């Protein structure tokens, strides 16, 4: 049972239906089925593009995010992975028991020292790869905190900025813009020096499924600039609330005194699952149960978003 206290909550027909609809959405977000659709022992199908696995001497895996171990389990059950690294939140018990994988349990939503160790280990791991090898990246939500390698500032500076942005009402895109410009790995910098081929299979936790925002675009590229990061700090009046080292770093970048983040993609990316998939599964289950439904899109500050959701609850009986 995906909802562990299901029986405690299922007290009447309305609540049972609610839980069934929610369970359908959660089950649709489990990566195994979707990964099995696009992967077999000889190839990975990313839309119209096919990666022939027999072209490579060895295949390696790097997984980070809340679904990293589930994704790694699914892929390693199909493909012969030589070695890999898996990074998950520290409050999640790892499902993966494969001795081939080094597992890091790092901080979320605030990065910690393990986030730094994990990032350094992945960078070293990628630098050791050869041209005749393939790396499969498995990316899911939460990765921005789980991997941290500050550039020009300390980890404590990075934590302070993250905390201030989280309470300011900044969007995930705004938060990630600043993260990318204070990092040695985000915004595509993780794979800048990588010599081998790679593919990134992604579960999106971002509205609109923008690859440059998911996991701060760690294996992708960055559409934002240092000047954008400075504008965000000004927008939320954070200039005097964050360490001066951060301001100085961003100003150096805006003055072209340090390099910008990569502006084009180096490897193939394929989105495996999205929020939309969960909604469609919930809609299907609602129809099966004879429950009418309304679907809306909402984001922003949690207090305002929650108030809006409550005001939009359908008044009609047997509806959600």
């Amino acid at each position: 049972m995906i909802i562990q206290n299901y029986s405690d909550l299922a007290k009447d027909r309305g609540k049972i239906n609610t839980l069934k609809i929610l369970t359908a959405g959660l089950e649709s977000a489990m990566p195994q089925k979707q990964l099995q659709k696009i992967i077999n022992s000889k190839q990975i199908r990313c839309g119209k593009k096919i990666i022939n696995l027999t072209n490579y001497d060895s295949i390696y895996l790097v997984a980070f995010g809340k679904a990293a171990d589930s994704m790694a389990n699914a892929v390693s059950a199909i493909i012969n992975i030589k070695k890999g690294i898996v990074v998950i939140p520290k409050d999640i018990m790892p499902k993966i028991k494969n001795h081939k994988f080094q597992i890091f349990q790092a901080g979320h939503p605030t990065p910690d020292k393990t986030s730094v160790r994990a990032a350094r280990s992945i960078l070293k791991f990628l630098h050791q790869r050869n041209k005749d090898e393939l790396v499969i990246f498995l990316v899911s939500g939460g990765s921005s905190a789980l991997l941290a390698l500050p550039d020009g500032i300390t980890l404590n500076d990075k934590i302070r900025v993250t905390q201030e942005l989280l309470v300011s009402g900044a969007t995930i895109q705004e938060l990630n813009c600043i993260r990318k410009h204070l990092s040695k790995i985000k915004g595509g910098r993780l794979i800048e020096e990588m010599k081998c081929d790679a593919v990134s299979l992604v579960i999106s936790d971002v509205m609109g499924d923008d690859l440059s925002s998911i996991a701060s675009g760690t294996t992708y590229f960055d559409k934002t600039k240092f000047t954008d990061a400075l504008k965000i700090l000004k927008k939320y009046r954070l200039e005097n609330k964050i360490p001066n080292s951060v301001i100085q770093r961003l100003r150096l970048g805006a003055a072209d005194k340090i390099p910008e983040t990569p502006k084009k993609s180096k490897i193939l990316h394929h989105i495996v699952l999205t929020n939309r998939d969960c909604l469609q599964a919930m809609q299907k289950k609602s129809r099966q149960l004879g429950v009418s439904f309304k679907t809306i899109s909402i984001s922003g500050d949690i207090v305002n978003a929650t108030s809006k959701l409550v005001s939009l609850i359908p008044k009609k009986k047997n509806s959600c």
Side-chain angles (χ1 to χ4, degrees), residues 8-54:
D8 294 333
L9 298 171
K11 298 301 184 186
D12 56 49
R13 177 53 52 191
K15 289 178 181 176
I16 290 169
N17 282 346
T18 301
L19 291 165
K20 284 180 177 178
I21 292 166
L22 181 56
T23 299
L26 294 171
E27 285 178 345
S28 75
M30 298 296 107
Q32 290 88 340
K33 286 183 182 177
Q34 289 302 116
L35 288 167
Q36 287 165 4
K37 288 178 185 178
I38 65 168
I39 297 173
N40 62 44
S41 59
K42 293 182 179 178
Q43 67 179 35
I44 300 175
R45 184 184 294 275
C46 300
K48 294 181 180 179
K49 295 182 179 178
I50 293 175
I51 297 171
N52 189 343
L53 301 178
T54 60

Side-chain angles (χ1 to χ4, degrees), residues 209-256:
D209 307 325
D210 178 10
L211 284 163
S212 68
S213 287
I214 303 164
S216 297
T218 306
T219 63
Y220 194 54
F221 69 94
D222 184 22
K223 299 175 183 177
T224 64
K225 297 180 179 180
F226 281 101
T227 51
D228 297 315
L230 286 169
K231 287 175 185 174
I232 292 164
L233 293 181
K234 188 176 182 180
K235 174 182 175 181
Y236 293 101
R237 299 176 183 175
L238 296 177
E239 298 103 314
N240 297 322
K241 294 182 180 180
I242 61 173
N244 192 51
S245 60
V246 172
I247 299 290
Q248 293 304 316
R249 166 87 188 164
L250 297 178
R251 284 176 179 166
L252 283 172
D256 295 326

Side-chain angles (χ1 to χ4, degrees), residues 10 41 52 75 93 96 136 151 163 184 229 233 249 263 286 302 305 308 311:
S41 59
N52 189 343
V75 172
M93 284 299 293
I96 198 157
I136 300 172
D151 195 1
Q163 290 172 337
K184 291 181 181 178
L233 293 181
R249 166 87 188 164
K263 299 305 175 196
S286 297
I302 189 68
K308 187 175 180 184
S311 72

Side-chain angles (χ1 to χ4, degrees), residues 278-290:
C278 297
L279 289 174
Q280 287 173 351
M282 293 168 82
Q283 290 169 353
K284 183 179 178 182
K285 177 57 70 173
S286 297
R287 287 191 194 97
Q288 290 172 353
L289 295 169

Side-chain angles (χ1 to χ4, degrees), residues 16-258:
I16 290 169
N17 282 346
T18 301
L19 291 165
K20 284 180 177 178
I21 292 166
L22 181 56
T23 299
L26 294 171
E27 285 178 345
S28 75
M30 298 296 107
Q32 290 88 340
K33 286 183 182 177
Q34 289 302 116
L35 288 167
Q36 287 165 4
K37 288 178 185 178
I38 65 168
I39 297 173
N40 62 44
S41 59
K42 293 182 179 178
Q43 67 179 35
I44 300 175
R45 184 184 294 275
C46 300
K48 294 181 180 179
K49 295 182 179 178
I50 293 175
I51 297 171
N52 189 343
L53 301 178
T54 60
N55 289 342
Y56 300 97
D57 286 350
S58 301
I59 300 169
Y60 296 86
L61 185 148
V62 175
F64 40 85
K66 296 175 191 172
D69 56 343
S70 297
M71 295 178 82
N73 255 338
V75 172
S76 61
I78 304 168
I79 298 171
N80 181 24
I81 303 294
K82 189 168 184 178
K83 203 189 300 185
I85 294 177
V86 178
V87 188
I88 56 174
K90 60 185 175 185
D91 57 349
I92 292 178
M93 284 299 293
K95 297 185 182 79
I96 198 157
K97 305 297 180 186
N98 196 320
H99 67 279
K100 295 178 181 180
F101 300 112
Q102 183 180 11
I103 299 172
F104 291 91
Q105 292 176 274
H108 180 274
T110 303
D112 59 12
K113 289 179 181 178
T114 305
S115 305
V116 175
R117 283 198 299 115
R120 284 202 176 113
S121 297
I122 291 173
L123 266 180
K124 183 179 177 182
F125 184 77
L126 296 177
H127 288 161
Q128 293 169 343
R129 305 283 62 86
N130 300 316
K131 287 185 179 180
D132 54 1
E133 297 172 335
L134 176 74
V135 174
I136 300 172
F137 290 99
L138 304 174
V139 182
S140 54
S143 302
S144 297
L146 295 173
L147 293 182
L149 199 55
D151 195 1
I153 62 170
T154 67
L155 177 62
N156 284 336
D157 290 342
K158 183 80 175 287
I159 291 170
R160 176 90 177 274
V161 176
T162 302
Q163 290 172 337
E164 289 292 345
L165 285 162
L166 285 170
V167 299
S168 72
T171 66
I172 186 63
Q173 289 84 359
E174 290 171 328
L175 176 58
N176 286 347
C177 169
I178 291 173
R179 280 168 163 166
K180 284 183 272 192
H181 288 94
L182 299 174
S183 173
K184 291 181 181 178
I185 60 167
K186 294 180 170 68
R189 294 188 70 188
L190 180 72
I191 62 170
E192 266 187 305
E193 307 299 325
M194 192 175 65
K195 298 180 181 70
C196 67
D197 288 346
V199 60
S200 195
L201 305 178
V202 182
I203 292 181
S204 170
D205 66 334
V206 174
M207 286 176 66
D209 307 325
D210 178 10
L211 284 163
S212 68
S213 287
I214 303 164
S216 297
T218 306
T219 63
Y220 194 54
F221 69 94
D222 184 22
K223 299 175 183 177
T224 64
K225 297 180 179 180
F226 281 101
T227 51
D228 297 315
L230 286 169
K231 287 175 185 174
I232 292 164
L233 293 181
K234 188 176 182 180
K235 174 182 175 181
Y236 293 101
R237 299 176 183 175
L238 296 177
E239 298 103 314
N240 297 322
K241 294 182 180 180
I242 61 173
N244 192 51
S245 60
V246 172
I247 299 290
Q248 293 304 316
R249 166 87 188 164
L250 297 178
R251 284 176 179 166
L252 283 172
D256 295 326
K257 293 184 178 177
I258 50 177

